[in-house]
Amino acid sequence: MTAEGTATTGAAANETPVLATALTKLVGVRHPLVQTGMGWVAGPRLVSAAANAGALGILASATMTPEQLRSAIGEVASRTDRPFGVNLRADAGDAAERVRIIIDGGVRVASFALAPSRELIARLKDAGVVVIPSIGARRHAEKVAAWGADAVVVQGGEGGGHTGSVATTVLLPQVVDAVDIPVIAAGGFFDGRGLVAALAYGAAGIAMGTRFLLTSDSTVPPAVQARYLKAAVKDVTVTTKVDGLPHRMLRSELVASLERSGRAAALLTAVRHAASFRKLSGLSWAQLVCDGLAMKHGRELTWSQVLLAANAPMLLKASMVDGRTDLGVMASGQVAGLIEDLPSCAELVDRIMAEAHRTVAALPH
C-alpha cells in the first residue's frame, strides 16, 4: 500500500484517525478522498462541505463564466479554510484567464478533464498551484508526468460522464507502474473497502463523483437524487449520442430518444440547446462552435455532434439544476446502483474512513 501510516490529529479525541498518503501530503487534506469537479453539481456548497469533511473538494468551472468562477472561489474560501481545487478545461478559449483567476484566488489545486499543455502546467506550478490532470490511458499519464504534473486522477470505465472502456482494476495498476507521481483512482468507488483496494493497487487515494452527488450537501434537486437512488446497476449506460463521445449516464427518456433519433432530429435538438447555452454563457456562435470542435479530439463527429459537444452542459443543467429529467441527461458512475442513502459529506467521509480502517484491521496477518 501507499498509505504512509496513521495518526490522530485535531481537537476532538474521537475524530477518525488519519490515513496519510502521498496525496494527503501533497495537497494538505486530512483524508485521501477527492470530490470530483462535476458540472452544475460541484458548486461552492458541496465543495466547501467536502473540504470541511477532510476531503479535497473540486469546484467545477466549465459551466461558469470567469466572473462566476471568481465569485465561486471567494464563496468557497469564505466557507472553509481547508485546501480545495478548481477543475477547468485545458482547451477552453479562456483557459489562460481562468488560470489567472485560480492563482489570484489562492486555490491549492488545479485539476483538468483533459491534459493541460506543458506551458499551462509550468505557469500553475510557478505560482505554487498543484496540478492534477485526469487521464484515461497509461500513455496520457506518462505524458503529463513528463510535463511536470504533480499527480494524476486515473478514471476507469465504471466512472460517470466521459469515460473509457478499460476497467479501473485493469487501468489503475498500469498507471501506477508507469509513473512516479501520486495516482488517484476513480471509477467505481463509493466506500471504505474501495479505498483500501485502491491503496493496495498502489494508488494514493480515490476520487468520487456520484457518491458526493448523492449527499445532503449536494444542490442536485431531490427528485433527481431520488432517480439516482432508485437506479440499479443495469440502469446506467454508455452512449455516444449526447456529444459524440462515450458518456456514462442514467438511462432516461431523453437518452432513449437520442439513441433512436435520426441525423435531422439530432441536429434540430443540438441547435435548440446550443441557442440556450449561448445565451446563458455569453458565448458567440463562433466561440460555441470552436469549443465544440476543440472537444472532437480527432474523432469524426457530425455537425450535430459538434454542436452537442459544445452545449452538452445545457443537457446536464436541465437535470442537475432545473430538475427536468425529461429534458436533461444525468451523468452517473455505475456505483449509482449500489448507493442507497444521502449522508452529509461529513458523515460520508467519516463512514468511508472508519470502514477503511476496519477493513485493514480485518485483513489476514
Side-chain angles (χ1 to χ4, degrees):
M1 288 189 190
T2 57
E4 299 172 11
T6 60
T8 302
T9 62
N14 61 349
E15 284 187 358
T16 304
V18 171
L19 187 59
T21 71
L23 170 63
T24 62
K25 294 182 178 181
L26 175 65
V27 300
V29 293
R30 181 177 172 82
H31 303 300
L33 305 174
V34 177
Q35 164 256 304
T36 60
M38 300 164 281
W40 303 115
V41 177
R45 190 171 92 179
L46 180 61
V47 171
S48 57
N52 283 327
L56 177 65
I58 302 290
L59 190 67
S61 78
T63 52
M64 300 178 184
T65 65
E67 275 309 307
Q68 288 171 335
L69 172 59
R70 194 184 307 275
S71 175
I73 289 173
E75 184 176 346
V76 175
S78 73
R79 290 170 174 257
T80 184
D81 59 358
R82 306 286 182 88
F84 66 95
V86 169
N87 179 266
L88 64 159
R89 276 181 50 197
D91 62 353
D94 58 0
E97 180 183 2
R98 292 172 184 268
V99 165
R100 170 48 56 190
I101 293 171
I102 288 172
I103 293 171
D104 291 345
V107 175
R108 177 62 177 156
V109 174
S111 74
F112 293 88
L114 300 171
S117 66
R118 187 194 303 266
E119 293 73 25
L120 210 55
I121 292 174
R123 183 179 173 195
L124 287 160
K125 287 173 66 70
D126 286 347
V129 180
V130 175
V131 179
I132 307 180
S134 295
I135 56 91
R138 172 178 174 165
R139 66 182 185 279
H140 298 152
E142 292 172 331
K143 178 174 70 174
V144 295
W147 287 354
D150 296 291
V152 291
V153 173
V154 51
Q155 178 178 310
E158 301 94 323
H162 291 118
T163 193
S165 58
V166 181
T168 304
T169 51
V170 176
L171 183 59
L172 177 58
Q174 288 184 51
V175 177
V176 168
D177 291 344
V179 299
D180 59 0
I181 56 177
V183 175
I184 303 158
F189 297 102
F190 70 106
D191 63 5
R193 296 170 299 175
L195 172 58
V196 173
L199 294 176
Y201 270 111
I206 58 173
M208 300 176 291
T210 306
R211 179 62 276 195
F212 275 105
L213 183 155
L214 293 174
T215 61
S216 60
D217 295 303
S218 168
T219 56
V220 172
V224 178
Q225 288 187 321
R227 185 76 174 261
Y228 277 89
L229 293 176
K230 184 180 178 181
V233 172
K234 63 180 176 58
D235 296 322
V236 185
T237 188
V238 175
T239 181
T240 59
K241 292 293 187 176
V242 170
D243 56 12
L245 307 175
H247 210 138
R248 185 176 290 284
M249 56 187 58
L250 293 186
R251 296 182 187 277
S252 69
E253 299 85 348
L254 176 61
V255 172
S257 175
L258 289 173
E259 291 282 354
R260 292 192 304 267
S261 65
R263 184 168 297 182
L267 181 59
L268 180 62
T269 299
V271 171
R272 186 171 66 249
H273 283 290
S276 299
F277 185 54
R278 188 182 73 84
K279 184 181 298 185
L280 185 70
S281 64
L283 295 173
S284 68
W285 278 105
Q287 289 171 314
L288 195 68
V289 172
C290 283
D291 276 358
L293 289 170
M295 296 176 72
K296 287 181 68 173
H297 304 306
R299 294 173 171 84
E300 291 297 323
L301 302 185
T302 65
W303 276 107
S304 61
Q305 289 170 330
V306 168
L307 282 174
L308 280 169
N311 72 81
M314 286 305 294
L315 295 176
L316 287 165
K317 178 180 180 292
S319 291
M320 299 302 145
V321 178
D322 303 331
R324 295 295 303 271
T325 58
D326 57 329
L327 299 177
V329 297
M330 294 164 281
S332 176
Q334 285 183 304
V335 294
L338 305 177
I339 297 172
E340 300 178 341
D341 61 352
L342 298 171
S344 68
C345 285
E347 292 167 340
L348 174 64
V349 169
D350 284 348
R351 178 198 303 175
I352 289 173
M353 296 312 301
E355 184 178 29
H357 284 282
R358 290 197 303 271
T359 301
V360 171
L363 292 173
H365 294 288

